Amino acid sequence: MRIEFEEGTLLLPEASEDVPYVEWDDRVKEYRAPAYRYRSLLEWVDAWDGNTSGSTVEKPAQQETIQSTTVAAEDAARAYPALALDPALQIEPREYQQAALNAWRTHDRRGSVVLPTGSGKTFLGIQAIADAGVGTLVVAPTINLMNQWHATLTNAFGDQLPHKGGDGPEQAIGVLGGGTHEIRPITVTTYDSAYRYIDEYGDQFGLLIADEIHHLPAPTYRQIPEMAIAPYRLGLTATYERADDAHELLEETGLIGPVVYEEAVDELAGEYLSEYETIHMQVELTDDERSQYDEEYGLYREYVDTHDFDLWKAEGYQEFLAHTSYDSDGRRALIAKQRAEDLARTAAKKLDTLDTLLKRHHDDRTIIFTANNDFAYEISQEFIVPCITHQTKTDERTEILERFRSGEYSILATSQVLDEGIDVPAANVGIILSGSASKRQYAQRLGRILRPTDERQPARLYEIIATDTMENYVSQRRREGVEAGA
Amino acid sequence: MLTADLARSRTSDGEVTPLFIDPDDARYRETASELVELFETHVGDPKADLDTAIDQLTVADTDYKIIQGLAKLLRDECDFETVAAAEPYEIRQRLFERANDSYPIVRQPTLDEDTRKLDVYTAVADELGISLAECHQGMYADLDANNRLVRFGDQIAESVELDTDGTTSTTQLTGQSEEAYKGEALTVEWLLNRYNLALAQAVLYDATELRIRVWDQFATVFSYVKLFGLMHRIYPIDEHGERVSSTDLAAGYEAILDGPASLFRQSRKYGIRMANFLPALPHCERWDLTAEILVDESANETRELTLDQTAGLQTHYSGGSRYDSDLERTLADKWERANTDWELVREDDVIDLGAEVLLPDFALEHPDSRRAILEIVGFWTPEYLEEKLDKIQQADVENLVLAVSEELDCTSEDIDLGAERLLWFKTGIHVYDVVDLAEKYAVQAASVVH
């Protein structure tokens, strides 16, 4: 019997109907099995050899003929390399991290680990890659998280993997997503990109790591573990259970495996919000900005007021949006609202205030936040500071963050790329030039980036908003959320 | 193709219908014409300028989905490129390194003459041997919004030059150069027809299965089925679309299209491929399709899309077999000059071999009504060839002969070169070798598979 990988499935020429997991495919007159059954099939023919760790073989161990007592199987599916890796991180694993890793190993390197946010799940992932010693695909829900994995993996393994197309270690880790399509023995990707390409690359990785794995049971994303042969699988999350109970799928079908380790939230929480002081600053719109703002905002208000939407409720806003798709006045009102927001967010005088703050803090480590890419780039050009947005290519982003971390760069401008669970090097000054009303985002930014430089000097967070605009309301709501929740 | 947010369709009674527009409607013709002109005038400009101009057209218009949809299709015909005097990444890196030693770099100098910003830009410009303006402009020239529109259809920007003040001066050309451009002239008809096709394609993104029926142009249609890697089962059908027992009785073919993993689970995994395939169908005079469209994957709720030739869709795919090659053209040329009663004709047969359809390249026809079918195999492996011969035998197509290239063989030792029905050739196919085969295997036309 031969096991081949074909477009996210296993094709089994010369198989018979007593082979488990297979179905007869009349279109090709062969038996076929879902790709994730790869390991089980090898175990069935008694040809599974889990001792890959420590091997230094770089080339795919393909075409290997394996004899067993009953069935001979030729493994032509595996196309992933064995890797001998040693994490370059100096950090000792914390106790619970070591326990989680051990639990995963004794579960045949399959299953999920549930740890609270900020407790070092990425670190655990790195240990798992070194432990499994095979080509690995890391899947993250967003491009930001994908980028973060890229940066961390580059730190850990960049020097030990062959570089391609450049001399920096950041070229060693593959990226699939966000405009980059570079498959390497260790590759990071997003759920969306992985879904699109898994049928093509499902044979290239021996370990599948799914970050924020609670997203995975969605019907579309579920095809990622289904179409990969990876005999080792690791899920990471802080919130495993889903309201629809779909997480059970991951366990029952063997797509990932059971939860092998769980650490309660309150054991670890509370450590990472540092001492900081918030300073709110207001700037006026210029005369031109003010008249444009009033005009656009007026258009919007007028439409909303004449239609009685309750915009403070989600349904009211949905109703408004619905109108904009068939009513041309509504469409204009929506655009007016967006234009007014943009005017407030990018008010010229914010740059003057930023100017003052940068003078005051030119010896500090500062991160500047904007809510739109253009404004971040404007600041980058104006003050010659490195800038990261959604558009920044993964390699460059990793490099900028590394240089900021090492102190080579002391100022960093960024648009909203610091959401859910993102690691940013510590700074002692944060400047928010504009933001969204998301309370969670605000709190996470504060907690994650600000570290006092010494005992006497608390970290500073500045928020610069335009007076008499929608920003006032948004800012207020944000603070209420944080103070109530903190 | 259209992105999902620009798709427009209506659903009722479990049926989904793309909201086609009438390509003759003056309203849409005007919009299309306006857009084409707008793209033309922006050749050479930054992408952001073009986008702003398009957005401006949609400010107070509820047809904005149509406008943005049409614009998307035009954007697909464009090339955007980074225009900079030095590698932007290089410029940035040097700027940030240098600036980090010079902070604060400010806009309102505290001292009368604070020139740090200028110093940093100038120093980097000098290092790179470019002008100050080029340095400033080039810093983020690789951002999507700053990329320049360098080709639109068959029009290209002849040169995009930077003025000393950092703004652009572009010389625009309207496609009269001797160079052959890959684009085609983009007309209002082209755009509106492409739009309707794209609306139907957008529905197919969510398709789990596609059933097609065609009554002509089989070779073209099935070559696209293969091109997009769709798995298929093919059944012969009669004039009314009813399945018949043998290909002898076939007036057309019905095919069910999906992908390998659909054996295990219904999913929209192959929707993009099926959408890509759609433009092959309007090559036919008569065709129809039925697609299962997945609405809610977890609830497995589906709707149905049905279309046929009356929808008036126009194709932009090229017709004819996709397997045309120099080899075949040369053989046809040689045949013209050769002295034989056998005639070489382009073939439109479809032979179902189970896993795949065989779309033979030629038929050989004799005036006495004998007929053989010739398939040229250029690319093969021993396994592939063996399998193919096996399938041909199973399919029982007695008059099919293969011409196989020795040049591209991998390990010919494994193959019995004397295998029946095979003609091995090195660089070209000799007419009389083919004639010999035809004499041997041809059968009376009455019993050929057709």
Side-chain angles (χ1 to χ4, degrees):
Chain A
M1 185 174 83
R2 195 178 146 86
I3 304 177
E4 296 169 14
F5 179 80
E6 189 189 82
E7 293 194 50
T9 69
L10 296 170
L11 204 57
L12 294 103
E14 305 132 47
S16 55
E17 61 179 352
D18 54 333
V19 177
Y21 316 117
V22 299
E23 287 206 37
W24 178 250
D25 191 342
D26 205 36
R27 302 167 298 187
V28 295
K29 316 276 187 222
E30 306 274 19
Y31 282 99
R32 205 187 274 284
Y36 73 94
R37 299 295 194 187
Y38 169 77
R39 176 165 166 180
S40 304
L41 280 165
L42 286 187
E43 280 169 350
W44 182 74
V45 298
D46 203 16
W48 171 248
D49 176 15
N51 294 323
T52 47
S53 185
S55 164
T56 52
V57 186
E58 273 268 351
K59 64 177 200 306
Q62 244 174 343
Q63 311 286 329
E64 203 174 311
T65 304
I66 304 154
Q67 289 292 334
S68 89
T69 45
T70 45
V71 191
E74 184 191 340
D75 179 6
R78 171 176 173 163
Y80 60 84
L83 302 169
L85 295 170
D86 197 12
L89 291 186
Q90 305 301 320
I91 318 158
E92 277 285 298
R94 296 178 217 163
E95 211 170 294
Y96 63 87
Q97 286 170 331
Q98 191 59 51
L101 183 69
N102 291 345
W104 180 68
R105 288 175 59 151
T106 53
H107 274 87
D108 301 327
R109 299 196 181 96
R110 295 175 82 112
S112 294
V113 170
V114 184
L115 287 176
T117 311
S119 59
K121 288 192 290 291
T122 317
F123 180 82
L124 184 66
I126 285 167
Q127 301 294 322
I129 293 172
D131 178 70
V134 286
T136 300
L137 183 69
V138 176
V139 193
T142 61
I143 288 188
N144 294 331
L145 277 167
M146 175 190 87
N147 284 328
Q148 180 182 318
W149 273 97
H150 182 266
T152 317
L153 290 168
T154 299
N155 274 337
F157 302 127
D159 292 330
Q160 301 168 55
L161 292 164
H163 303 170
K164 193 187 163 199
D167 48 8
E170 58 274 2
Q171 305 282 342
I173 306 295
V175 180
L176 180 62
T180 310
H181 194 127
E182 192 81 68
I183 303 295
R184 310 283 300 139
I186 298 180
T187 296
V188 295
T189 183
T190 60
Y191 282 107
D192 282 330
S193 291
Y195 161 67
R196 211 168 301 150
Y197 293 106
I198 194 67
D199 50 344
E200 209 174 313
Y201 302 119
D203 56 345
Q204 307 277 324
F205 305 99
L207 168 60
L208 176 73
I209 297 182
D211 193 9
E212 311 282 344
I213 197 171
H214 49 282
H215 295 292
L216 199 63
T220 308
Y221 295 153
R222 206 185 305 155
Q223 286 174 71
I224 300 164
E226 277 174 357
M227 293 190 154
I229 67 168
Y232 305 130
R233 288 156 189 240
L234 172 63
L236 297 171
T237 182
T239 50
Y240 185 70
E241 260 105 55
R242 287 168 57 106
D244 61 1
D245 283 337
H247 55 273
E248 287 171 9
L249 261 160
L250 300 174
E251 304 170 13
E252 284 163 10
T253 57
L255 284 181
I256 295 293
V259 172
V260 295
Y261 189 85
E262 194 160 0
E263 188 80 34
V265 182
D266 50 1
E267 307 242 331
L268 304 162
E271 273 178 48
Y272 64 100
L273 281 185
S274 65
E275 291 283 311
Y276 62 86
E277 177 188 342
T278 309
I279 298 147
H280 302 283
M281 302 174 88
Q282 303 245 341
V283 298
E284 299 283 335
L285 296 179
T286 63
D287 291 348
D288 269 2
E289 283 169 350
R290 174 53 66 191
S291 64
Q292 275 183 56
Y293 180 91
D294 288 347
E295 190 184 325
E296 298 289 348
Y297 188 72
L299 268 172
Y300 163 65
R301 275 304 337 168
E302 191 189 318
Y303 185 79
V304 166
D305 290 345
T306 51
H307 284 78
D308 267 354
F309 304 114
D310 187 357
L311 292 178
W312 309 135
K313 293 203 177 123
E315 311 92 273
Y317 195 70
Q318 284 309 316
E319 203 187 330
F320 165 58
L321 284 183
H323 272 246
T324 66
S325 66
Y326 54 81
D327 177 1
S328 63
D329 286 341
R331 168 87 187 149
R332 182 67 187 86
L334 177 67
I335 292 200
K337 173 175 179 284
Q338 289 164 351
R339 286 183 177 172
E341 277 169 356
D342 266 357
L343 279 161
R345 282 172 175 171
T346 61
K349 290 211 170 122
K350 285 187 174 177
L351 284 188
D352 294 339
T353 309
L354 175 63
D355 199 327
T356 312
L357 291 175
L358 288 178
K359 269 180 223 155
R360 187 184 303 164
H361 291 290
H362 71 271
D363 279 336
D364 287 304
R365 300 171 55 67
T366 305
I367 300 185
I368 305 160
F369 300 95
T370 71
N372 98 12
N373 288 355
D374 289 351
F375 204 39
Y377 285 116
E378 193 182 330
I379 286 161
S380 175
Q381 288 202 306
E382 185 73 37
F383 301 98
I384 321 188
V385 296
C387 164
I388 291 176
T389 72
H390 296 102
Q391 254 201 71
T392 312
K393 287 273 184 292
T394 309
D395 290 352
E396 186 176 354
R397 180 195 158 98
T398 297
E399 189 210 295
I400 291 175
L401 285 174
E402 186 45 45
R403 285 172 179 233
F404 189 81
R405 193 174 285 122
S406 73
E408 206 176 329
Y409 293 156
S410 56
I411 308 182
L412 180 63
T414 181
S415 59
Q416 309 177 337
V417 294
L418 304 171
D419 307 348
E420 190 182 359
I422 295 285
D423 271 344
V424 181
N428 64 329
V429 177
I431 303 172
I432 300 181
L433 285 172
S434 43
S436 72
S438 158
K439 296 166 200 168
R440 193 195 46 170
Q441 183 189 62
Y442 187 65
Q444 284 192 338
R445 277 179 182 173
L446 298 187
R448 300 200 140 261
I449 61 154
L450 294 175
R451 299 274 181 281
T453 41
D454 59 58
E455 295 297 311
R456 290 151 299 160
Q457 203 63 309
R460 294 259 172 88
L461 185 89
Y462 296 93
E463 185 184 37
I464 309 173
I465 58 171
T467 40
D468 292 329
T469 68
M470 288 179 270
E471 286 200 324
N472 290 328
Y473 166 73
V474 167
S475 162
Q476 193 191 341
R477 209 160 52 132
R478 211 160 42 202
R479 268 173 281 140
E480 278 167 5
V482 169
E483 277 143 29
Chain B
M1 294 222 273
L2 293 180
T3 45
D5 58 315
L6 297 174
R8 293 166 55 251
S9 62
R10 180 180 353 99
T11 303
S12 57
D13 299 336
E15 291 260 342
V16 49
T17 321
L19 293 171
F20 293 128
I21 58 178
D22 176 3
D24 293 324
D25 188 321
R27 195 160 44 121
Y28 298 127
R29 295 186 68 85
E30 195 185 322
T31 306
S33 152
E34 210 172 342
L35 274 168
V36 170
E37 200 183 314
L38 197 138
F39 273 75
E40 282 169 350
T41 55
H42 278 84
V43 173
D45 294 353
K47 184 163 177 289
D49 294 2
L50 174 67
D51 290 346
T52 308
I54 294 166
D55 289 348
Q56 196 55 42
L57 287 182
T58 71
V59 164
D61 198 334
T62 45
D63 277 347
Y64 70 97
K65 264 196 187 182
I66 296 177
I67 298 174
Q68 291 292 4
L70 292 167
K72 171 66 173 62
L73 298 175
L74 289 175
R75 273 197 201 97
D76 290 347
E77 302 300 318
C78 293
D79 286 337
F80 296 93
E81 273 174 25
T82 297
V83 177
E87 182 63 41
Y89 169 73
E90 175 95 24
I91 300 177
R92 287 197 287 276
Q93 211 181 26
R94 285 169 187 260
L95 283 170
F96 300 146
E97 279 169 10
R98 190 171 283 271
N100 199 56
D101 302 328
S102 314
Y103 292 135
I105 291 166
V106 291
R107 3 191 302 137
Q108 306 158 302
T110 24
L111 304 170
D112 278 2
E113 296 270 326
D114 191 331
T115 57
R116 285 187 214 197
K117 179 175 163 186
L118 198 61
D119 291 346
V120 172
Y121 276 109
T122 311
V124 170
D126 289 351
E127 269 172 31
L128 292 167
I130 58 178
S131 76
L132 185 61
E134 283 169 340
C135 184
H136 193 261
Q137 177 274 338
M139 182 176 179
Y140 282 117
D142 57 343
L143 287 182
D144 188 52
N146 295 340
N147 280 338
R148 306 298 177 85
L149 173 55
V150 295
R151 183 187 65 81
F152 171 61
D154 61 353
Q155 301 174 44
I156 61 157
E158 189 184 51
S159 62
V160 181
E161 282 166 9
L162 301 178
D163 273 350
T164 40
D165 64 353
T167 63
T168 57
S169 86
T170 55
T171 316
Q172 289 178 22
L173 243 198
T174 38
Q176 304 304 317
S177 161
E178 287 155 54
E179 223 184 306
Y181 307 123
K182 55 174 178 167
E184 55 181 307
L186 304 175
T187 61
V188 168
E189 282 71 29
W190 174 92
L191 179 57
L192 295 175
N193 282 319
R194 180 70 75 86
Y195 181 73
N196 280 340
L197 196 60
L199 284 180
Q201 287 181 297
V203 176
L204 287 175
Y205 295 156
D206 293 330
T208 58
E209 186 183 276
L210 186 57
R211 188 189 71 153
I212 60 163
R213 293 190 297 184
V214 290
W215 282 269
D216 56 282
Q217 297 292 331
F218 310 128
T220 302
V221 169
F222 287 106
S223 67
Y224 278 105
V225 168
K226 284 168 99 172
L227 182 71
F228 292 115
L230 292 162
M231 297 206 86
H232 44 274
R233 295 155 191 264
I234 296 180
Y235 308 94
I237 51 172
D238 66 14
E239 206 45 55
H240 311 288
E242 298 296 328
R243 289 190 188 168
V244 291
S245 58
S246 110
T247 46
D248 289 359
L249 309 167
Y253 293 92
E254 173 183 334
I256 312 289
L257 308 177
D258 53 20
S262 50
L263 187 64
F264 307 109
R265 190 152 79 82
Q266 282 248 315
S267 80
R268 60 188 90 191
K269 182 74 201 166
Y270 306 101
I272 300 279
R273 293 192 204 170
M274 292 191 266
N276 276 323
F277 164 75
L278 176 69
L281 284 175
H283 274 296
C284 306
E285 294 271 320
R286 183 180 167 202
W287 59 272
D288 62 37
L289 74 77
T290 309
E292 288 299 315
I293 309 298
L294 204 51
V295 195
D296 178 346
E297 215 166 340
S298 39
N300 228 2
E301 187 190 343
T302 60
R303 286 179 189 143
E304 206 170 79
L305 168 73
T306 55
L307 279 179
D308 60 30
Q309 70 277 352
T310 59
L313 294 180
Q314 305 284 314
T315 183
H316 56 285
Y317 284 0
S318 63
S321 167
R322 311 289 316 153
Y323 301 103
D324 289 356
S325 68
D326 286 347
L327 205 64
E328 292 163 31
R329 210 168 304 122
T330 314
L331 179 64
D333 288 349
K334 280 191 204 163
W335 212 280
E336 292 280 291
R337 300 190 295 270
N339 181 21
T340 173
D341 287 341
W342 288 93
E343 208 184 325
L344 184 75
V345 290
R346 272 260 165 243
E347 188 43 67
D348 206 39
D349 280 7
V350 174
I351 301 174
D352 187 5
L353 298 182
E356 56 185 326
V357 280
L358 185 62
L359 309 157
D361 304 295
F362 296 104
L364 301 158
E365 290 178 357
H366 196 273
D368 68 8
S369 86
R370 278 179 299 157
R371 189 166 187 275
I373 298 163
L374 173 66
E375 158 86 338
I376 301 172
V377 182
F379 219 88
W380 59 280
T381 62
E383 293 81 26
Y384 174 80
L385 202 56
E386 214 166 293
E387 202 182 337
K388 193 152 200 166
L389 284 171
D390 209 45
K391 282 172 181 160
I392 289 167
Q393 256 149 25
Q394 281 176 22
D396 200 22
V397 192
E398 49 184 335
N399 65 335
L400 176 70
V401 297
L402 300 181
V404 184
S405 167
E406 281 181 53
E407 292 283 295
L408 296 164
D409 120 40
C410 332
T411 48
S412 64
E413 307 91 66
D414 299 346
I415 285 281
D416 175 12
L417 288 174
E420 291 191 350
R421 304 166 183 241
L422 287 195
L423 168 65
W424 293 92
F425 64 93
K426 279 207 159 64
T427 46
I429 304 170
H430 298 290
V431 173
Y432 299 106
D433 294 345
V434 181
V435 170
D436 283 351
L437 270 186
E439 292 285 355
K440 201 166 162 191
Y441 293 102
V443 296
Q444 292 294 318
S447 65
V448 297
V449 175
H450 197 55

